[in-house]
Amino acid sequence: MKKILFTTFLVASFGASTAHATNVFEASHFTSSNTVKSNELLKTCLGADEATRKALRACNQALRLTAVSDIRSAIYVKRAFLNLSKDNMKAATRDFKNADKLGAHPDYTLLGQGYTALMAGETARAASIFNGCSGSDKTASMAAYGRAIAKEMQGDKLGAAADYKYAAKLSPNWSAPAVELNRIQGL
């Protein structure tokens, strides 16, 4: 289950972090006069596909250098997902809350809170959070997938299968929901 959650974290963090990355590289949003270094830090942070010390350090430094709330929100979301993948629940929860306060990525912060609840074994709370996601194109499949995991952890295999199927329908190029649907159906 942990591998499934880690894959989902990476997908979610990729979507959240790339939303503003292109704009950042085209025009500097940093308060630092060394914008080349600042943009490299941001690129390292938002482009990370695993939670290395280098990636987390880049996120930390980028947060100190930018004052733009939507960029800060993207960094907090990315760092939160990286921390989740390292089982650092306290730091992930703190970062999701900070991103939520900035309000630029509400669906991603809800997803993060849902996956944090799953990792903590709070399946009913997780399902409730996933139900609260607005269903934007980028997050609806990840919310359905998370809800499926929560239902499966609660023993509701039929409900889980329905949500895995729905997630697969929403994101046909994402293999994880189909893999889990096949597994749960014994195929």
Side-chain angles (χ1 to χ4, degrees):
M1 184 64 63
K2 189 173 181 178
K3 182 179 177 187
I4 295 166
L5 292 175
F6 179 71
T7 302
T8 305
F9 299 151
L10 290 179
V11 169
S13 67
F14 174 77
S17 62
T18 57
H20 298 284
T22 303
N23 294 338
V24 171
F25 300 132
E26 291 173 0
S28 175
H29 295 289
F30 288 92
T31 57
S32 169
S33 60
N34 186 355
T35 58
V36 172
K37 175 67 174 166
S38 301
N39 284 339
E40 283 302 314
L41 289 169
L42 188 62
K43 185 177 181 181
T44 300
C45 170
L46 298 181
D49 59 356
E50 62 181 284
T52 63
R53 278 196 285 197
K54 180 180 178 181
L56 289 166
R57 189 172 44 248
C59 291
N60 295 339
Q61 291 173 341
L63 277 169
R64 285 191 293 272
L65 295 174
T66 186
V68 179
S69 64
D70 60 343
I71 303 302
R72 290 181 66 78
S73 178
I75 295 167
Y76 277 127
V77 168
K78 181 64 174 197
R79 191 172 72 176
F81 280 112
L82 292 173
N83 277 315
L84 269 180
S85 72
K86 291 182 72 84
D87 286 331
N88 190 344
M89 301 284 283
K90 187 175 181 178
T93 300
R94 182 189 64 236
D95 282 344
F96 283 125
K97 285 180 182 177
N98 285 332
D100 193 41
K101 288 177 189 175
L102 295 171
H105 300 92
D107 282 349
Y108 288 106
T109 57
L110 277 176
L111 282 173
Q113 291 168 12
Y115 283 108
T116 302
L118 277 178
M119 296 275 295
E122 300 170 3
T123 56
R125 182 172 161 261
S128 176
I129 292 169
F130 292 129
N131 284 332
C133 290
S134 71
S136 72
D137 291 343
K138 293 180 182 179
T139 61
S141 62
M142 290 182 281
Y145 186 76
R147 196 171 46 245
I149 294 170
K151 287 179 180 178
E152 186 174 359
M153 289 172 74
Q154 292 173 331
D156 179 5
K157 290 192 179 206
L158 289 176
D163 278 331
Y164 284 134
K165 186 175 183 176
Y166 182 59
K169 177 183 172 188
L170 292 173
S171 294
N173 294 330
W174 183 26
S175 64
V179 167
E180 295 308 310
L181 179 61
N182 288 338
R183 180 191 52 78
I184 202 167
Q185 292 177 336
L187 302 176

